[in-house]
Amino acid sequence: MEDSILNSVKLSLGIASDYTYFDDQLIMHINTAFAVLNQLGVGPKDGYQISGPDDSWSDYTKSNKQLNMVKTYMYAKVRLIFDPPQSSAVKECLNETVKEYESRIRYETEIRGV
């Protein structure tokens, strides 16, 4: 998997990493998801944000394998904001994925102290 946060989200959305037209919008949505993660207790106390493709997952997770789930969470959260599915069943599935990962992330931060 790509270590660049922006590029990995783009690839998950089916956008080539060298296609930059939507980068500003995606960065905004990614940073919104990081703000939510911060409220869940993940990441630096003063928050985390990206500014482009040079910001990496390893900078954010600090090699904590328990936080790999934030990658899937980030994709689902950004997809719902940036490119919401037309199908209500797919949209509900993504919403349930977001809720599940928020719960699991909360568990990791509160119970395990990640």
Side-chain angles (χ1 to χ4, degrees), residues 4 10 12 14-15 21-22 26 31 43 72 82 93-95 109:
S4 165
K10 286 168 67 171
S12 296
I15 302 170
Y21 185 79
F22 297 113
L26 291 170
N31 287 335
T72 301
F82 176 74
C93 181
L94 279 174
N95 277 319
T109 58

Side-chain angles (χ1 to χ4, degrees), residues 78-94:
V78 171
R79 169 82 193 275
L80 283 167
I81 299 168
F82 176 74
D83 184 24
Q86 297 299 309
S87 164
S88 61
V90 174
K91 188 173 186 177
E92 182 61 28
C93 181
L94 279 174

Side-chain angles (χ1 to χ4, degrees), residues 42-58:
V42 179
K45 294 213 182 287
D46 61 343
Y48 187 85
Q49 67 180 25
I50 68 166
S51 58
D54 294 333
D55 298 292
S56 68
W57 284 113
S58 56

Side-chain angles (χ1 to χ4, degrees), residues 35-106:
V36 172
L37 286 166
N38 182 262
Q39 291 178 342
L40 293 172
V42 179
K45 294 213 182 287
D46 61 343
Y48 187 85
Q49 67 180 25
I50 68 166
S51 58
D54 294 333
D55 298 292
S56 68
W57 284 113
S58 56
D59 290 339
Y60 181 70
T61 63
K62 304 294 185 204
S63 300
N64 184 333
K65 292 179 181 90
Q66 293 298 331
L67 294 179
N68 277 331
M69 72 181 88
V70 301
K71 297 174 184 178
T72 301
Y73 172 81
M74 182 66 69
Y75 157 73
K77 192 78 168 166
V78 171
R79 169 82 193 275
L80 283 167
I81 299 168
F82 176 74
D83 184 24
Q86 297 299 309
S87 164
S88 61
V90 174
K91 188 173 186 177
E92 182 61 28
C93 181
L94 279 174
N95 277 319
E96 290 300 317
T97 298
V98 166
K99 288 178 191 173
E100 176 184 354
Y101 280 96
E102 285 176 348
S103 176
R104 291 179 183 276
I105 289 166
R106 194 173 291 113

